[in-house]
Amino acid sequence: MGLSLTLLAGIALTLLANSNIIQTGPGFPWKGVLNSLGEALIVAVVLSLLVDPLAQHQLAVEWGRDLYWSIFSPDAPDDFKEGLQALAAPSGYIRRCTYEINLSRSDNRRDDTVELEVLVRAEGVVLDRRGFRPLDTVFVFARHDGTPSEYKLWSFRSRHTKGVEYSGRDLQLLNALKIQSSGRTVLDQSTLTDAAKIPFRGEYENLRKVATTRRRSDYFPLFQNRVVLEQVFLIRGDAVDDLDISIVQLGGVTLDKNVEVRPDGSKVIEYRTSAVAFPGQASMLEWRPWQVADNA
């Protein structure tokens, strides 16, 4: 339809330019312009009809046979088939991610900071038919003053395999940690070769524990590199009573909280959401002193 209309427009413009309807002369250059435009449209249609099919045919001859063979043949290279699978499907998803967050007062009472310790518990499901173990990198942002934060624990376990666990010191000895110029501490999980693969449809639990510092009015982003179906946030510590705390899932709403007072008088604040979080979509933990919140 598009080519037909373009061809008709080209013919109409050419006929119009060569008719007596359009005036000629130095002050009327439209005849030449319309004639050139009409010829250009006709040439474009001809090229579309001839060159495009030729290009498609050439692509099918040179690439099509090899491509279909690589996809369907059992003799195709494994790396090619694995690459196609990696592009076509996710390696898995996180059924539930629980963040256990401890906010405590700084040892230096004159310092306007809080100590922040975060334990991330990701309960995942494997969708990769080749099995799965963590091979990507994860990171934690620098402390409030730009110095590196600290990894204190990493573990990977499942009922399908023998679990592994590394302390922060172990991660350093394995050269799994790198400090970037921005101050971020990056953990390369591919260096943790003792972690066994979890089979297709298998479930696993991946723990990461980090320690850092923040200002008394600050925020901390929490996110994963896989789809997360449910998120739970448990916040405790001796600084909790001093702070107005909230969590917002970016692109969503501020989460409702549930406060539980333990028999020892300590407080645990729980936030929970079943809104799906996509890879990289952060939930923002924010806090500020109550007196600042009251005056706002």
Side-chain angles (χ1 to χ4, degrees):
M1 179 70 72
L3 290 176
S4 300
L5 293 175
T6 304
L7 179 61
L8 290 175
I11 294 174
L13 290 173
T14 303
L15 293 176
L16 182 62
N18 290 279
S19 68
N20 294 325
I21 299 175
I22 303 298
Q23 299 185 44
T24 60
F28 301 93
W30 308 111
K31 183 182 288 287
V33 173
L34 293 177
N35 188 64
S36 298
L37 181 58
E39 291 179 352
L41 292 176
I42 295 173
V43 170
V45 172
V46 173
L47 290 177
S48 298
L49 293 173
L50 296 179
V51 177
D52 187 63
L54 289 175
Q56 294 180 22
H57 177 73
Q58 188 73 8
L59 179 65
V61 171
E62 294 184 0
W63 296 93
R65 181 177 301 174
D66 293 337
L67 181 62
Y68 279 100
W69 174 83
S70 298
I71 294 175
F72 295 109
S73 173
D75 300 323
D78 289 338
D79 55 350
F80 185 88
K81 290 190 290 187
E82 291 175 0
L84 288 177
Q85 182 178 3
L87 291 173
S91 58
Y93 63 91
I94 297 175
R95 179 172 56 85
R96 180 188 296 112
C97 186
T98 303
Y99 299 94
E100 298 182 23
I101 302 158
N102 190 283
L103 284 167
S104 58
R105 302 183 183 97
S106 174
D107 293 336
N108 185 355
R109 297 293 180 175
R110 294 174 298 178
D111 191 5
D112 188 28
T113 62
V114 292
E115 304 284 342
L116 180 64
E117 192 173 78
V118 181
L119 175 66
V120 182
R121 185 188 309 273
E123 302 171 46
V125 178
V126 177
L127 298 180
D128 193 333
R129 294 186 180 276
R130 300 164 298 172
F132 168 80
R133 73 179 181 89
L135 295 174
D136 51 358
T137 59
V138 291
F139 65 88
V140 58
F141 292 104
R143 297 176 183 269
H144 73 283
D145 57 0
T147 57
S149 298
E150 177 186 2
Y151 270 93
K152 304 187 72 173
L153 173 71
W154 187 93
S155 74
F156 187 72
R157 53 197 178 206
S158 169
R159 62 182 178 85
H160 305 282
T161 61
K162 181 181 178 181
V164 294
E165 182 174 314
Y166 299 101
S167 66
R169 178 60 177 167
D170 296 332
L171 297 175
Q172 292 178 351
L173 293 175
L174 290 169
N175 292 320
L177 300 175
K178 302 295 181 184
I179 307 300
Q180 296 183 332
S181 58
S182 63
R184 294 195 311 182
T185 303
V186 179
L187 170 60
D188 183 0
Q189 299 180 113
S190 66
T191 61
L192 309 177
T193 54
D194 289 340
K197 277 191 173 183
I198 309 302
F200 175 65
R201 291 294 185 184
E203 298 183 359
Y204 63 88
E205 181 184 71
N206 186 200
L207 295 180
R208 300 193 304 275
K209 189 176 185 179
V210 300
T212 186
T213 57
R214 286 292 183 272
R215 298 291 185 187
R216 285 179 60 81
S217 290
D218 216 327
Y219 66 92
F220 193 79
L222 302 164
F223 57 89
Q224 301 299 313
N225 54 10
R226 286 177 177 79
V227 170
V228 182
L229 302 187
E230 181 184 10
Q231 295 183 90
V232 180
F233 308 86
L234 301 174
I235 306 171
R236 55 173 63 90
D238 59 16
V240 167
D241 289 333
D242 305 336
L243 303 173
D244 176 26
I245 301 171
S246 62
I247 292 182
V248 178
Q249 184 173 350
L250 297 185
V253 298
T254 301
L255 304 185
D256 295 329
K257 67 180 178 181
N258 178 51
V259 180
E260 177 186 353
V261 179
R262 299 289 173 84
D264 60 359
S266 63
K267 182 185 297 184
V268 178
I269 303 175
E270 177 184 309
Y271 296 86
R272 185 182 296 266
T273 176
S274 297
V276 175
F278 294 94
Q281 182 181 5
S283 296
M284 199 67 67
L285 169 64
E286 302 174 325
W287 63 90
R288 55 182 176 172
W290 277 111
Q291 59 268 27
V292 176
D294 294 339
N295 295 332

